Amino acid sequence: MKPLTIWISRTEWIRFALTADPPNCLVPVTGGTFIHTLFNRGHKKLIYKIKSSNNNNYRITPVFGFIDPSERKKITVTRTGGAQKCDKLDKLVIHYAFAPVDATDARTSFPDVTPFESVTILLITY
């Protein structure tokens, strides 16, 4: 294999190491609870942090975490009732990086890493 081909295949592996299922969510304006599954398709343990564009109406559990290779982890998204935003869609952005080898607490370890990619889940309110 030529060096460029190896580089492309490795960067694609890093870029898509983490996926979310479902990738989007239809959310009633009255609220509700929804489950999404994160999947580490890579070969290294990942650390993640989830950010929300609307912390007034959404709660995410867990916000920080680790995902081992080939592991699936469920996250819970809860929307409280509230007015729908007309000017933009709400979203969750999951930033991730390779987990430090000695890390045991994702919340305290995440500031020490540099996320190399993110996954976005659109929260479409109706």
Side-chain angles (χ1 to χ4, degrees), residues 31-46:
T33 300
F34 308 91
I35 304 294
H36 291 265
T37 302
L38 302 180
F39 177 50
N40 180 355
R41 296 177 22 187
H43 301 291
K44 292 188 176 186
K45 184 176 182 178
L46 298 175

Side-chain angles (χ1 to χ4, degrees), residues 66-87:
F66 295 106
I67 304 179
D68 289 319
S70 300
E71 181 184 11
R72 296 178 193 277
K73 183 166 279 195
K74 296 198 181 295
I75 60 168
T76 304
V77 179
T78 303
R79 186 186 199 287
T80 58
Q84 180 177 357
K85 289 184 177 180
C86 296
D87 57 341

Side-chain angles (χ1 to χ4, degrees), residues 113-126:
V113 301
T114 301
F116 55 78
E117 191 60 61
S118 63
V119 174
T120 301
I121 299 174
L122 294 179
L123 305 169
I124 304 161
T125 308
Y126 64 93

Side-chain angles (χ1 to χ4, degrees), residues 8 12 15 24 26 37 40 42 44-46 50 60-61 65 67 69 71-72 74 89-90 94-95 97 105 119 121 124:
I8 290 171
E12 286 300 307
R15 183 172 180 201
N24 300 315
L26 292 173
T37 302
N40 180 355
K44 292 188 176 186
K45 184 176 182 178
L46 298 175
I50 304 174
I60 296 96
T61 306
I67 304 179
E71 181 184 11
R72 296 178 193 277
K74 296 198 181 295
L89 289 174
D90 292 323
I94 305 157
H95 299 279
D105 181 8
V119 174
I121 299 174
I124 304 161

Side-chain angles (χ1 to χ4, degrees), residues 4-17:
L4 180 59
T5 307
I6 293 170
W7 180 81
I8 290 171
S9 65
R10 285 188 180 179
T11 57
E12 286 300 307
W13 170 76
I14 290 171
R15 183 172 180 201
F16 299 111

